[in-house]
Amino acid sequence: MGTNEADVGRKERASQAAADHSPLTSGDGIEPVADGVWLLKGQGRSFVVEIDEGLVVVDAGPGGSVTAGMIEHLRGVSARPVVALCYSHGHGGYNVGVPMWLDDAAKRGHPRPRVIAHANVPARYARYRRTAGLQNRINELQFRRAAGGMRSMMQLTDPGETYTERLVIGDGARRVHLLWAPSETDDVTAVWVPWARVLYGSASIISGIPNIGTPFRTMRDTLRWATTLERLMDLRPVTVVREFGDVIVGDEDVQRVLGHTAGALRWLHAEVVRLMNEGRGERELLAEIVYPPEWFDVPWMSPNYGDPSYIVRDIYRSENGWWDRNPTSLHPASPAAAGAEVAAAIADKAALISHAETLAARGEHQLALHVIDVLATAPGDAPEIVQARQLKAAWLRERAEQVRSYVSRSIYLGCADRIEEGTAAEFGLR
């Protein structure tokens, strides 16, 4: 396929991309932040700055009707050419719409925009292409989509140029600075608008607790994220646009939110390491750690997407490794073989099920899940095994009501769906 054909194919795929990746989409419309600076809603908050040469757009959106709406809303406030399309970070979906923006520039007779990202984005995209099947299954479960429902997120357009630490766009008095801000990913770009003292925090600043330690992703460096927030504080912005959540306005509020978040991450790292030094394993640590309200009971640390226990696990893994300290797990049998033998060893399966139901009846759904897994993870369709799976699915739905994290709720509900559909084996659920 030639270059032009490839471009057309990418444009067609982008125009067909799913319009709603809730909770990733932030609605539609455009809002002024300062003179020549706008918040553009799409997948997360995109960001637009008018420099002397034209417009700089950060994140092209997920394609389809969302990106089409973003272009329309921007053109409602400015007809100037887009001189640069910048990637906030390399996660899927945020820049599926790049071909649509390039096509729009061509139709308007504007020069082709520069397509810019941090130098780590191409390596991330290469990894996503290698693991496309895995990425699709992860996204389907995390965002509760049917099979194939998230493939549009993996339509990737490589940037035309990259930078490592800082890149200044524009030669006049109005220019913007792209800043490497490693945090949720190692390729995050924050955008500093010095003349307006406006900072676009990108994926480093959201409305809840930092998204560290997610169950599906590679490890994220807790202390590095704290350092990034401290570096951004040093710019002394008076307005911060977050990837998700309300804009932070005022020097005092900016310093409080960013400084507090960095401090909470540093406290958490120190506490996990302290408990590890005292000999705690991962599960013991999770059961014992107490999250001080002065650090965690504030709006910007709300566990609305991630969860503090996720961060604990990421810190633990970064210092310890994968072994759970049970020697049985060092060289395990297959889940199916182990499940079959454990189930065969239970003479009175009805009594085990009854005990699990008693736990659930008194609200101990997590303990009930631990007990029922003895049977629910076994292969086959014996009546007690089928009943155990049905109970597990029901109790996963109960657990989903007991947690605040969107990711946790999605996993509980998505796994329950798959158990009931009989498609859960790929997740080791039976």
Side-chain angles (χ1 to χ4, degrees):
M1 182 182 288
T3 302
N4 289 339
E5 290 174 286
D7 284 344
V8 170
R10 283 196 298 272
K11 292 171 189 171
E12 289 176 348
R13 289 194 298 273
S15 68
Q16 295 168 358
D20 179 20
H21 295 319
S22 180
L24 298 179
T25 49
S26 59
D28 62 4
I30 188 167
E31 299 176 8
V33 176
D35 178 36
V37 183
W38 296 273
L39 179 162
L40 184 58
K41 296 179 181 179
Q43 179 160 320
R45 257 75 172 285
S46 295
F47 188 66
V48 182
V49 183
E50 184 175 22
I51 62 174
D52 290 344
E53 293 81 359
L55 302 172
V56 175
V57 174
V58 184
D59 283 349
S65 62
V66 174
T67 291
M70 293 167 66
I71 295 171
E72 180 181 358
H73 287 302
L74 179 59
R75 289 312 173 195
V77 299
S78 177
R80 300 198 66 196
V82 174
V83 297
L85 293 167
C86 305
Y87 293 13
S88 68
H89 63 306
H91 274 163
Y94 286 87
N95 284 287
V96 171
V98 163
M100 296 175 67
W101 286 90
L102 298 179
D103 187 50
D104 181 72
K107 287 178 179 177
R108 294 174 186 276
H110 294 164
R112 182 185 176 92
R114 299 162 66 184
V115 181
I116 307 170
H118 185 265
N120 289 336
V121 165
R124 177 177 298 277
Y125 276 11
R127 177 166 64 85
Y128 283 169
R129 291 185 178 108
R130 287 194 305 271
T131 60
L134 170 65
Q135 300 302 323
N136 286 328
R137 284 195 293 275
I138 286 172
N139 288 326
E140 286 161 11
L141 186 57
Q142 181 163 328
F143 299 106
R144 295 196 69 206
R145 294 294 189 273
M150 298 297 282
R151 288 196 182 116
S152 64
M153 291 184 73
M154 289 296 106
Q155 294 170 18
L156 309 174
T157 300
D158 287 312
E161 61 181 286
T162 61
Y163 76 99
T164 53
E165 295 287 340
R166 176 191 295 257
L167 177 68
V168 179
I169 303 178
D171 295 319
R174 295 168 70 96
R175 62 183 73 180
V176 297
H177 297 244
L178 306 186
L179 307 175
W180 183 41
S183 44
E184 183 175 43
T185 63
D186 66 354
D187 52 26
V188 171
T189 292
V191 182
W192 174 231
V193 186
W195 80 81
R197 291 180 62 192
V198 172
L199 173 70
Y200 175 63
S202 182
S204 69
I205 306 174
I206 58 176
S207 59
I209 194 166
N211 189 24
I212 301 171
T214 129
F216 289 120
R217 310 296 178 183
T218 54
M219 289 190 297
R220 296 166 179 179
D221 193 318
T222 303
L223 294 181
R224 185 170 69 175
W225 197 324
T227 298
T228 290
L229 293 173
E230 291 158 354
R231 286 176 45 234
L232 295 177
M233 288 172 61
D234 289 343
L235 297 170
R236 303 301 302 195
V238 296
T239 304
V240 171
V241 177
R242 298 188 270 201
E243 182 188 28
F244 294 99
D246 295 337
V247 175
I248 309 172
V249 179
D251 178 78
E252 184 177 335
D253 281 352
V254 168
Q255 295 296 308
R256 179 169 64 252
V257 172
L258 272 61
H260 183 284
T261 303
L265 294 181
R266 292 193 181 281
W267 178 89
L268 200 52
H269 186 276
E271 182 67 2
V272 171
V273 170
R274 182 184 72 80
L275 291 169
M276 291 178 67
N277 284 337
E278 292 181 1
R280 307 300 197 282
E282 183 183 46
R283 291 196 177 187
E284 295 169 316
L285 203 155
L286 287 166
E288 291 181 29
I289 195 165
V290 176
Y291 306 103
E294 61 269 25
W295 282 122
F296 294 93
D297 287 358
V298 293
W300 54 88
M301 293 294 288
S302 172
N304 50 24
Y305 191 79
D307 187 272
S309 69
Y310 290 176
I311 304 178
V312 168
R313 296 181 107 148
D314 228 34
I315 296 168
Y316 184 89
R317 284 190 299 157
S318 72
E319 301 289 350
N320 181 82
W322 56 263
W323 182 44
D324 65 1
R325 302 193 180 191
N326 179 354
T328 303
S329 68
L330 278 176
H331 300 285
S334 74
E341 294 303 325
V342 169
I346 304 299
D348 193 345
K349 297 178 176 60
L352 183 142
I353 291 172
S354 177
H355 183 73
E357 289 177 317
T358 298
L359 290 170
R362 66 176 190 236
E364 300 282 0
H365 293 97
Q366 185 60 49
L367 288 175
L369 285 167
H370 286 301
V371 173
I372 206 65
D373 262 359
V374 173
L375 297 177
T377 57
D381 56 3
E384 298 92 342
I385 304 299
V386 172
Q387 182 184 5
R389 291 183 198 139
Q390 292 170 343
L391 289 170
K392 178 171 182 173
W395 296 337
L396 288 173
R397 297 191 189 283
E398 293 289 342
R399 285 292 286 139
E401 297 297 319
Q402 297 165 2
V403 296
R404 297 173 63 186
S405 162
Y406 173 87
V407 174
S408 292
R409 289 197 307 274
S410 292
I411 292 174
Y412 284 136
L413 294 172
C415 290
D417 291 342
R418 284 159 173 76
I419 290 171
E420 291 169 349
E421 294 163 359
T423 59
E426 66 175 304
F427 294 100
L429 301 167
R430 300 291 160 216

